[in-house]
Amino acid sequence: MLAVARRYVELGLPLEGIVLDWMSWPDGLWGQKSLDPARFPDAEDLCRRMHDMGTKLMVSIWPHVHGDGTDRLELAAADAMLANGTTYDAFDPKARALYWKQAETALFAKGVDAWWTDCSEPFEADWNGAREPSPEERMRINTTEVERYLGPDRRNAYSLLHSRGIWEGQRATGSPKRVLNLTRSAYPGRQRYGTYSWSGDIVATWESLRRQVAEGLSFAASGLPYWTTGVGAFFPGKVCPGLDGASFLRGDFDAGAQDLGYRELFLRWFQYATFLPMLRTHGTGTPREIWHYGEPGDPVYETLVRFIRLRKALVPYLYSLAWQVHSEDSTMFRPLAFDLVFPGADGSFVLYEDEGDGWGYEQGAGARTELRWDEANGTLTVGRPVRDYPGRPVRRVVRARLVEPGRGWAEASALWLTAEQQRQELRIPLRPSRSSSRRS
């Protein structure tokens, strides 16, 4: 992980976070929340060195614990397990508190920044078999398994209570670090607990990518605002040899990143995910770092670099959308039926800023700047910031340009108009380029 973070620094590319996925625990102790000391001898030093490079660490934790590790023995002794003997009872407040204490001691206190609460359904009875079950079969298989231990009235709500335990536990520490929890299962109300969901361990096919668009929009339309997908899919080809389970889970690209076809799929997936609430690559079977997808100068590599930088440039806009989710019950992405946007009309947007971490925003610490577009006069007005927060820059450089047909983000960025704002309102005249006027 340190080598990967260092390489991105050397390339001059932002890497906001790395996920330490499953199997971080000692051998034979699936679900133990402490890291394997043979591979991670000093977790605190690991986190510090990653933070020094501008990268945060998310660690996968599971509701299941196996073997004779301290976590399972402690949960069992406290009568905090479901009847299967390996899954903690998230419906029990005392069990949630104990589970959090284990995560805090082993990971959060060492500097871990965020959580990947994998398998939060918490059962996956459809994982085995040579033939992929139909959606109806899959629902029946999993429902039968869940109801054995949770009953029909609680079968879908485990992830909600699991997320609640992480949220309440971290908030109770008094840490200014905000809660971020990537959870595989969702339930109404879980958005209050700092959670994202993703589309699961899917296969690398063009059909899978096509489905992501509809699935994500449907998820957002249900009222849950934070959703993402694993760029390139979890399984590029056949199931990873060391990963037992459903042999029907097979992508089209056994050679992974060595296959030029997979590189194209990975790139298109990456471009799509650039505009999701969270951009992340994830999977087994082939590397995901961008240097495995070509050399500088190669089209795929250069396009990945371009979209990484575009994503970084979009952060103020995305952060403002996240504030709208919090303050106005909005959503970060949605079907076009929710909005109809076209040239020829006035428009407005509120840019939101705060410290980026901590809980001051709950007491109103944050600046709002209204951006207003006047179509008739071709003028962008940048209003005076309203409210404030500790450390807000006094001076701001504003760059603006019209987006026009045939001119992408990179082309437009070279023609930005620049103005400096301190506390005053700014008015920036924007006109179409001559070439755009001729085309129209």
Side-chain angles (χ1 to χ4, degrees):
M1 290 191 297
L2 291 171
V4 168
R6 191 176 303 113
R7 180 73 179 275
Y8 274 90
V9 171
E10 293 168 354
L11 292 172
L13 295 174
L15 181 65
E16 302 293 344
I18 289 181
V19 178
L20 180 57
D21 202 350
W22 64 304
M23 303 295 283
S24 60
W25 42 76
D27 188 43
L29 299 180
W30 188 295
Q32 174 76 18
K33 287 174 280 299
S34 54
L35 302 182
D36 180 7
R39 291 175 291 150
F40 308 99
D42 191 336
E44 192 168 354
D45 181 67
L46 168 66
C47 292
R48 179 188 59 77
R49 293 167 70 183
M50 289 186 64
H51 293 164
D52 288 345
M53 291 185 281
T55 302
K56 296 183 179 180
L57 179 61
M58 173 184 281
V59 174
S60 171
I61 56 176
W62 287 56
H64 315 303
V65 281
H66 297 263
D68 292 327
T70 55
D71 283 3
R72 193 190 72 81
L73 295 177
E74 187 177 27
L75 287 164
D79 195 24
M81 306 290 273
L82 295 177
N84 68 345
T86 58
T87 306
Y88 95 100
D89 185 0
F91 293 90
D92 181 350
K94 293 181 180 178
R96 292 198 302 268
L98 178 55
Y99 183 92
W100 165 255
K101 181 180 74 70
Q102 294 172 345
E104 179 188 12
T105 301
L107 300 170
F108 191 68
K110 307 294 185 184
V112 168
D113 302 285
W115 310 102
W116 183 317
T117 53
D118 210 346
C119 200
S120 54
E121 293 81 21
F123 302 105
E124 44 186 9
D126 62 338
W127 181 254
N128 300 296
R131 179 183 63 84
E132 182 174 11
S134 69
E136 292 77 14
E137 288 179 292
R138 177 165 285 168
M139 183 176 69
R140 177 184 56 79
I141 293 168
N142 285 321
T143 297
T144 300
E145 181 72 7
V146 170
E147 289 188 357
R148 290 177 61 191
Y149 304 108
L150 297 181
D153 58 330
R154 303 193 302 177
R155 67 186 185 193
N156 290 327
Y158 187 94
S159 67
L160 176 68
L161 278 299
H162 187 32
S163 299
R164 177 181 176 179
I166 300 297
W167 169 270
E168 292 180 343
Q170 185 170 326
R171 291 299 304 263
T173 67
S175 170
K177 187 176 295 183
R178 293 180 187 171
V179 180
L180 176 59
N181 176 5
L182 186 62
T183 175
R184 197 169 75 182
S185 183
Y187 192 79
R190 62 89 166 151
Q191 64 269 21
R192 70 171 68 98
Y193 298 133
T195 55
Y196 273 76
S197 289
W198 84 101
S199 55
D201 295 343
I202 53 180
V203 297
T205 66
W206 287 98
E207 175 61 18
S208 287
L209 174 57
R210 187 190 68 82
R211 290 180 179 180
Q212 298 309 296
V213 179
E215 290 177 8
L217 291 173
S218 296
F219 190 96
S222 74
L224 298 176
Y226 296 116
W227 179 90
T228 187
T229 180
V231 169
F234 189 79
F235 296 109
K238 61 186 178 183
V239 174
C240 178
L243 189 64
D244 297 330
S247 59
F248 60 80
L249 289 174
R250 182 186 181 93
D252 290 343
F253 306 95
D254 286 347
Q258 298 303 310
D259 187 323
L260 296 182
Y262 180 73
R263 291 188 185 187
E264 182 182 1
L265 176 67
F266 184 89
L267 172 61
R268 298 308 184 193
W269 212 311
F270 197 100
Q271 290 173 309
Y272 160 64
T274 297
F275 303 100
L276 293 178
M278 179 184 286
L279 167 63
R280 51 183 279 282
T281 64
H282 167 226
T284 187
T286 198
R288 275 22 183 226
E289 299 86 1
I290 67 164
W291 49 87
H292 296 287
Y293 294 82
E295 301 289 336
D298 292 344
V300 171
Y301 178 90
E302 291 296 337
T303 306
L304 287 170
V305 168
R306 176 181 173 186
F307 273 77
I308 290 172
R309 289 177 173 157
L310 172 57
R311 175 70 181 199
K312 185 67 174 180
L314 285 171
V315 166
Y317 168 72
L318 296 169
Y319 201 73
S320 298
L321 292 182
W323 170 72
Q324 291 179 15
V325 169
H326 171 74
S327 63
E328 301 173 12
D329 301 324
S330 183
T331 187
M332 291 191 71
F333 71 119
R334 49 194 174 262
L336 282 176
F338 282 53
D339 304 277
L340 184 59
V341 180
F342 55 92
D346 296 342
S348 64
F349 182 79
V350 176
L351 180 70
Y352 174 79
E353 305 162 280
D354 61 26
E355 296 169 276
D357 208 347
W359 305 103
Y361 72 91
E362 293 184 336
Q363 284 74 49
R368 293 106 167 122
T369 304
E370 185 179 19
L371 310 179
R372 300 188 302 276
W373 171 248
D374 186 324
E375 175 69 17
N377 296 319
T379 301
L380 174 68
T381 299
V382 182
R384 296 180 60 184
V386 177
R387 300 186 183 180
D388 210 344
Y389 64 92
R392 188 180 74 82
V394 175
R395 173 181 173 273
R396 185 208 308 271
V397 175
V398 179
R399 297 186 298 167
R401 168 151 188 88
L402 287 179
V403 176
E404 302 173 292
R407 290 183 180 272
W409 174 79
E411 292 83 1
S413 64
L415 300 171
W416 275 330
L417 296 178
T418 302
E420 182 175 318
Q421 181 187 42
Q422 293 190 9
R423 297 282 182 177
Q424 81 281 19
E425 181 176 273
L426 277 182
R427 293 187 178 181
I428 305 173
L430 299 175
R431 299 296 182 194
S433 65
R434 292 182 179 179
S435 60
S436 177
S437 299
R438 286 196 296 268
R439 283 196 298 272
S440 60

